Amino acid sequence: MFDFGIKDIVDILIVAVMLYYLYRLMRSSGTLSLFYGVLLFTVIWVVASEIFEMRLTGTILDKFMSIGLIILVILFQDQIKRFLIDIGSHGRLKRLKRLFKHEKVDEEGRHARIMAIVYACMSMSKSKTGALICLQRSVPLTDYEKTGDIIDADVNMRLIENIFFKNSPLHDGAMIIAGERIVSVGCILPVSHDMNIPKNLGLRHRAALGMSQMTDALCVVVSEETGHISAAMNGSLRTGLSAPDLEHLLSSATASAV
């Protein structure tokens, strides 16, 4: 007979939450098949060594587990880093602080910044001006900000358009917006190697998707070829966005990050 108590229920819940979060992380990074493989291998290892007490098989699998763990850490160091940053992110702590202190959020200012981005994207869409705008949410983007030029400016429609103007020296690269400020421009983002991305989408779309896989940022793309507006978040890419679509997406994404 098993001695099953409250401690065991808590133990199972903790493991379930960790597996669910790992599943979401793997799904957003396009490595879900690897997650299933690791999960299946772990189940076989537990069944062989703990339930059936198969000593030889359990010993061999123990060696594979110790080596495999090191390999997984090397392969997925960026995802592990995101996991740890997301757990203790400053954004979560700030939301808790605001909850207990009843701090007010400047909704009018946030809406004005959202509309500045929407109007700039619509204007660049009409002129087919390529653009890549990355909005920070919970996970800090400090490492990516350093790859570009720090400008620390207000979120302004005309400024966004001027930065991405074809003859501007700063147009090639991504703009990173954190909170109320345009922090950096001309930034280099990680490129997604997902084979399911349509062939007609260019490097900006791959960079936007790659950034959304590595962080929880929202990345908005204006295509230089078609003028179509796309957005990537949590490892998924939405194309052909209208102005209301973009406004709704920006509002919901920034509201959850406040």
Side-chain angles (χ1 to χ4, degrees), residues 121-122 125 198 200-201 205 219-223 226-232 236-247 249:
C121 288
M122 297 309 297
S125 174
N200 61 318
L201 300 181
H205 293 83
C219 299
V220 180
V221 182
V222 180
S223 173
T226 64
H228 294 165
I229 299 173
S230 306
S236 82
L237 183 68
R238 291 180 57 186
T239 58
L241 296 177
S242 63
D245 292 336
L246 182 59
E247 181 186 351
L249 189 60

Side-chain angles (χ1 to χ4, degrees), residues 67-106:
I67 297 171
L69 184 61
I70 297 172
I71 295 173
L72 288 175
V73 169
I74 294 172
L75 290 176
F76 296 100
Q77 54 183 320
D78 292 324
Q79 284 85 352
I80 293 171
K81 180 181 177 182
R82 174 184 167 182
F83 173 76
L84 295 174
I85 289 174
D86 198 26
I87 289 176
S89 68
H90 180 65
R92 292 179 185 272
L93 297 176
K94 192 163 68 173
R95 286 197 294 273
L96 286 173
K97 180 181 176 183
R98 183 175 291 118
L99 179 64
F100 285 110
K101 290 192 174 183
H102 303 288
E103 294 181 12
K104 294 183 178 179
V105 180
D106 182 13

Side-chain angles (χ1 to χ4, degrees), residues 202-213:
L203 191 60
R204 283 192 180 93
H205 293 83
R206 288 192 171 272
L209 187 59
M211 189 66 164
S212 74
Q213 292 172 343

Side-chain angles (χ1 to χ4, degrees), residues 133-151:
I133 303 172
C134 185
L135 284 82
Q136 176 180 297
R137 299 178 68 215
S138 298
V139 178
L141 306 179
T142 309
D143 291 341
Y144 302 102
E145 293 168 4
K146 293 176 181 177
T147 63
D149 296 295
I150 305 295
I151 63 171

